[in-house]
Amino acid sequence: MVDQRVPTSVPFPTKSLDRHTELSNLLELVTGSLLEHVAEADAANAARQSGRRNGIIPNNQAAALLPPEIVSQRLGLSLSEKPQGKNGLVELTDRLLRLSVNTWDQGFMHKLYSGTNPVGVISELILAVLNTNLHVYTVSPALSVIEKQTGRALARLFGLSGPYSGGITQPGGSASNFNSVLIARHRAMPFINEKGTSAQQLVMFTSVDSHYSLEKAARMSGIGSQGVYKIPTDSEGRMSVPALRKAILDARSSGKHPFYVNATAGTTVRGAYDPIEEIASVCKEFGLWLHLDGSLGGSAIFSGQQSWRLKGSERADSITINPHKMLGVPVTCSFLLGNDLRQFRSANSIDAGYLFHEESSKVALQDAVANNTDDTYDLAELTPQCGRKGDALKLALGWVYYGRIGYERYVDKAFDTAAYLFSLVEMHPRMEMAAVHHSVQVCFYYNPSSAEYEHKVAAKRNTAITAYISEGLPSKGFMVDYAPGPVGKFLRVVTNGTTTNETMDSMVKAIDEIGHLCIM
Ligand SMILES: Cc1ncc(COP(=O)(O)O)c(C=O)c1O
């Protein structure tokens, strides 16, 4: 019986199998708006490069200033009973674009990712058309092969060259870090998956500057926040190795079971790289799993000039890298790499005959270990998730199109532009670095309080100026975030491979204009 509530003139998924025509029509309808969104970012970039006033395209960052009630009102999302058809789709698309922050604009320097590139968009389109799932090989043969090959190529770049080395994608850096804890936990206590938690308290080590996902991973894996020893950093934000050694010894002598150390390659705020070689030696001495959280800074491996920062990465048991951060690959694209993927499988594999049709996953795993093979292409066997998107394609397609050398140039440009901004801050009479400059982040205060103020008052004043500037920047076409520092919060600018020196010049000018109003 026909549903009377649905007008028959409205296209409906079950009505026609002429879907390619419908897709073609809809693509045609929205393509103009999508291209305009990117064109506005390009126009702003061109304006900045020609030195025109700040290169502002008001809509590019302005949505950041709107409260949720206004966005909700302007968006006008109506999840109605009746179909709204093409008009509804096109109008909502237009309003959505208008009310979004334009990450393609160079003014977007707020977070550790940026807008993607044309190849990134194509890769998302391919994945959308394929709409497949990388839990088992049968339904995603080509994408599974691409994930295996891309993971292996990445692992090789880091020097993980063992016969079972490789990598798998995860839905983000936090998820990659979480899986690394699960795998290390399983190595430390092979009975854990069957019997649950043990009487022995597992403890792990990571620096005070590391990402919160490590502590979350500890919570989710039954280790708990108290099982995470936060190791102090030196004045440059790198983990103190003597303090790490001492913490391991202390934990041992109080009856705890150390099993895992995370070294960060590119900390979230300051961009510091922990001393991997030295940490690896400590891990070896105590038989601990070494994980490298290179979510942000791991991409420096693509650059001949910057890869020295990752010296010692070949000694890691597992490595996280997020191409969706420093490489401009679409969000999300994150890999967990390892020197022995059999360990990934041992920790994550579970019998599920309705999905994995190797006679029995357990038997297949035992066979794999006994025969020293790791040829599983049912990639959900290596991760906590079941259904998985083909995120590896997004890195692989860009690699094909731009070459490794393209990614290298992209990384180098981001580092060079950050260094240029650093020099501007150093020369500026009212700006002062808040942290040592390492990577693609530049952290600084505007007109920081001098010694005449007591620390608490100075911190309050600095935080107020920083917040005022950060909130004022979107109306000038920029978005810059801030973070806690030694004397209150400071501005943190994150550059990417498209950011130019001219953008830095105009941003410094904009900061000065807003900051001046605040300190007058
Ligand atoms: C060092 C580091 N690790 C992990 C993450 C988490 O990555 P994701 O946001 O993809 O979960 C971040 C995010 O900023 C990070 O900076």
Short mmCIF file of all heavy atoms in Angstrom, two decimals, residues 112 171-175 177 211 213-214 264-268 293 295-296 322 324-325 332 334, ligand 1:
data_model
loop_
_atom_site.label_atom_id
_atom_site.label_comp_id
_atom_site.label_asym_id
_atom_site.label_seq_id
_atom_site.Cartn_x
_atom_site.Cartn_y
_atom_site.Cartn_z
N LEU A 112 45.11 21.48 15.19
CA LEU A 112 46.29 20.83 14.60
C LEU A 112 46.01 20.26 13.20
O LEU A 112 46.79 19.50 12.68
CB LEU A 112 46.78 19.71 15.52
CG LEU A 112 47.08 20.15 16.96
CD1 LEU A 112 47.60 18.97 17.78
CD2 LEU A 112 48.10 21.28 16.99
N PRO A 171 40.06 5.18 14.01
CA PRO A 171 39.32 6.45 13.84
C PRO A 171 39.90 7.59 14.68
O PRO A 171 39.21 8.15 15.52
CB PRO A 171 37.91 6.07 14.30
CG PRO A 171 38.10 4.91 15.21
CD PRO A 171 39.34 4.19 14.79
N GLY A 172 41.16 7.91 14.48
CA GLY A 172 41.77 9.05 15.17
C GLY A 172 42.97 8.66 16.02
O GLY A 172 43.21 7.47 16.28
N GLY A 173 43.70 9.68 16.45
CA GLY A 173 44.90 9.45 17.25
C GLY A 173 44.57 8.86 18.61
O GLY A 173 45.30 7.99 19.12
N SER A 174 43.46 9.29 19.20
CA SER A 174 43.09 8.76 20.52
C SER A 174 42.82 7.25 20.40
O SER A 174 43.25 6.47 21.26
CB SER A 174 41.83 9.45 21.04
OG SER A 174 42.03 10.83 21.09
N ALA A 175 42.14 6.87 19.34
CA ALA A 175 41.83 5.45 19.15
C ALA A 175 43.11 4.66 18.88
O ALA A 175 43.25 3.52 19.35
CB ALA A 175 40.84 5.29 17.99
N ASN A 177 46.10 5.41 20.00
CA ASN A 177 46.81 5.29 21.28
C ASN A 177 46.14 4.24 22.17
O ASN A 177 46.81 3.45 22.84
CB ASN A 177 46.83 6.65 22.00
CG ASN A 177 47.75 7.65 21.31
OD1 ASN A 177 48.61 7.26 20.51
ND2 ASN A 177 47.58 8.93 21.62
N HIS A 211 49.22 13.98 25.33
CA HIS A 211 47.79 14.18 25.05
C HIS A 211 46.91 13.41 26.05
O HIS A 211 47.29 12.32 26.50
CB HIS A 211 47.49 13.71 23.63
CG HIS A 211 46.14 14.11 23.14
ND1 HIS A 211 45.07 13.23 23.07
CD2 HIS A 211 45.66 15.30 22.70
CE1 HIS A 211 44.00 13.86 22.61
NE2 HIS A 211 44.33 15.11 22.37
N SER A 213 44.53 11.61 25.66
CA SER A 213 44.03 10.30 25.21
C SER A 213 44.77 9.15 25.89
O SER A 213 44.23 8.04 25.99
CB SER A 213 44.15 10.17 23.69
OG SER A 213 45.45 10.45 23.26
N LEU A 214 46.00 9.40 26.36
CA LEU A 214 46.73 8.33 27.04
C LEU A 214 46.04 7.98 28.36
O LEU A 214 45.86 6.81 28.69
CB LEU A 214 48.19 8.75 27.28
CG LEU A 214 49.21 8.49 26.15
CD1 LEU A 214 49.17 7.04 25.69
CD2 LEU A 214 49.00 9.40 24.97
N THR A 264 56.07 11.17 23.26
CA THR A 264 55.29 11.97 22.31
C THR A 264 56.22 12.61 21.28
O THR A 264 57.25 13.19 21.65
CB THR A 264 54.48 13.06 23.03
OG1 THR A 264 53.72 12.46 24.07
CG2 THR A 264 53.54 13.78 22.07
N ALA A 265 55.84 12.50 20.03
CA ALA A 265 56.59 13.17 18.95
C ALA A 265 55.72 14.32 18.47
O ALA A 265 54.83 14.13 17.64
CB ALA A 265 56.88 12.19 17.82
N GLY A 266 55.93 15.48 19.07
CA GLY A 266 55.11 16.64 18.73
C GLY A 266 53.99 16.78 19.74
O GLY A 266 52.87 16.31 19.51
N THR A 267 54.28 17.42 20.89
CA THR A 267 53.23 17.55 21.91
C THR A 267 52.15 18.54 21.44
O THR A 267 52.43 19.42 20.61
CB THR A 267 53.81 17.98 23.27
OG1 THR A 267 54.57 19.18 23.09
CG2 THR A 267 54.70 16.90 23.87
N THR A 268 50.97 18.37 21.97
CA THR A 268 49.80 19.08 21.46
C THR A 268 49.94 20.60 21.51
O THR A 268 49.56 21.28 20.57
CB THR A 268 48.55 18.63 22.26
OG1 THR A 268 48.53 17.21 22.25
CG2 THR A 268 47.27 19.17 21.67
N ASP A 293 53.70 8.38 20.36
CA ASP A 293 52.51 9.11 19.90
C ASP A 293 52.97 10.23 18.96
O ASP A 293 53.28 11.34 19.37
CB ASP A 293 51.72 9.69 21.08
CG ASP A 293 50.48 10.47 20.60
OD1 ASP A 293 50.19 10.43 19.39
OD2 ASP A 293 49.82 11.11 21.43
N SER A 295 51.02 11.44 16.67
CA SER A 295 49.76 11.88 16.04
C SER A 295 50.00 13.15 15.25
O SER A 295 49.63 13.27 14.09
CB SER A 295 48.70 12.17 17.11
OG SER A 295 48.25 10.98 17.68
N LEU A 296 50.65 14.11 15.89
CA LEU A 296 50.94 15.37 15.21
C LEU A 296 52.29 15.31 14.49
O LEU A 296 52.38 15.43 13.27
CB LEU A 296 50.95 16.53 16.21
CG LEU A 296 51.50 17.83 15.64
CD1 LEU A 296 50.56 18.41 14.60
CD2 LEU A 296 51.73 18.85 16.74
N ASN A 322 48.96 10.62 12.52
CA ASN A 322 47.69 11.12 11.98
C ASN A 322 47.95 11.95 10.72
O ASN A 322 48.18 13.16 10.84
CB ASN A 322 47.00 12.04 12.99
CG ASN A 322 46.32 11.31 14.12
OD1 ASN A 322 46.45 10.10 14.23
ND2 ASN A 322 45.60 12.04 14.94
N HIS A 324 45.91 13.15 9.00
CA HIS A 324 44.90 14.22 8.93
C HIS A 324 45.36 15.46 9.69
O HIS A 324 44.68 16.49 9.64
CB HIS A 324 43.53 13.73 9.41
CG HIS A 324 43.35 13.57 10.89
ND1 HIS A 324 42.93 12.40 11.48
CD2 HIS A 324 43.50 14.42 11.92
CE1 HIS A 324 42.84 12.55 12.79
NE2 HIS A 324 43.19 13.78 13.08
N LYS A 325 46.48 15.39 10.35
CA LYS A 325 46.97 16.60 11.01
C LYS A 325 47.96 17.30 10.08
O LYS A 325 47.58 18.14 9.28
CB LYS A 325 47.58 16.26 12.38
CG LYS A 325 46.51 15.83 13.40
CD LYS A 325 47.05 15.77 14.79
CE LYS A 325 45.98 15.76 15.87
NZ LYS A 325 45.16 14.55 15.91
N THR A 332 38.84 11.75 9.23
CA THR A 332 39.98 11.29 10.00
C THR A 332 40.83 10.33 9.18
O THR A 332 40.30 9.54 8.37
CB THR A 332 39.53 10.52 11.26
OG1 THR A 332 38.57 9.55 10.90
CG2 THR A 332 38.97 11.39 12.31
N SER A 334 44.12 8.14 10.61
CA SER A 334 45.12 7.87 11.65
C SER A 334 45.57 6.42 11.52
O SER A 334 44.75 5.54 11.24
CB SER A 334 44.52 8.10 13.03
OG SER A 334 45.43 7.72 14.04
C1 LIG B 1 49.86 14.45 20.52
C2 LIG B 1 48.44 14.07 20.23
N1 LIG B 1 48.04 12.79 20.40
C3 LIG B 1 46.78 12.39 20.15
C4 LIG B 1 45.84 13.29 19.71
C5 LIG B 1 44.42 12.82 19.47
O1 LIG B 1 44.15 12.72 18.11
P1 LIG B 1 42.62 12.65 17.60
O2 LIG B 1 42.07 14.02 17.80
O3 LIG B 1 42.74 12.25 16.17
O4 LIG B 1 41.93 11.63 18.45
C6 LIG B 1 46.18 14.64 19.53
C7 LIG B 1 45.18 15.62 19.08
O5 LIG B 1 45.39 16.78 19.00
C8 LIG B 1 47.52 15.04 19.80
O6 LIG B 1 47.91 16.31 19.67
#
